[in-house]
Amino acid sequence: MIVRSPGDAGFTLFEVIAALVIVSVGLAAFCLAIGGAYRTVAQLKRYTSSLVAARSQLDAAGIAFPLESGTTEGTYPDGSRWRMIVTPLGTEQTAGTQAAGREPAYWLALEVLDRRGRQVFKLQTAKIGGAMP
């Protein structure tokens, strides 16, 4: 047993090592939390840019390109993939509206997939329009 006199002050080697271990564990946890936050922010930026592109694509449907039944796929500049499924609303109605000179109605479902192929979100809308003249 070590007996200290009242004039001795300071830390033992064990106390210094214990303090360094505690500080290093705290710093490691902090660095992991900051790294996770940066990854989350980057992912949210990708999702936001995909959402803006998907909304623009749905707005342009029937205007910039004709609406035709079927499935179309592609990739956005940020690397996420998309799939648009266009189906006519009411097959009997569609034939009647075309015969009457009116444009048919379509249901559009636009799925945006991440790089792993998992669905990030899905936008759906109804549009009136047919083939471009």
Side-chain angles (χ1 to χ4, degrees), residues 54 57-58 61 67 70-72 82-87 106-112 119 121-127:
Q57 184 177 5
L58 279 181
L67 290 176
T71 302
T72 311
W82 58 268
R83 178 184 317 128
M84 184 184 305
I85 303 167
V86 179
T87 54
Y106 292 93
W107 185 255
L108 284 73
L110 180 63
E111 299 174 342
V112 175
Q119 182 177 330
F121 57 86
K122 183 177 186 177
L123 302 176
Q124 299 183 30
T125 189
K127 286 273 190 160

Side-chain angles (χ1 to χ4, degrees), residues 18-29:
L20 286 174
V21 167
I22 291 170
V23 169
S24 63
V25 168
L27 282 175

Side-chain angles (χ1 to χ4, degrees), residues 33-112:
I34 294 297
Y38 278 121
R39 282 189 299 277
T40 302
V41 167
Q43 185 178 32
L44 286 175
K45 285 182 180 179
R46 281 193 311 272
Y47 289 170
T48 302
S49 68
S50 295
L51 180 61
V52 169
R55 289 185 63 171
S56 297
Q57 184 177 5
L58 279 181
D59 288 343
I63 299 170
F65 57 91
L67 290 176
E68 297 175 355
S69 296
T71 302
T72 311
E73 297 183 359
T75 305
Y76 291 127
D78 67 354
S80 57
R81 297 179 319 186
W82 58 268
R83 178 184 317 128
M84 184 184 305
I85 303 167
V86 179
T87 54
L89 286 176
T91 328
E92 301 83 22
Q93 278 186 334
T94 303
T97 57
Q98 287 174 337
R102 294 187 308 236
E103 295 184 5
Y106 292 93
W107 185 255
L108 284 73
L110 180 63
E111 299 174 342
V112 175

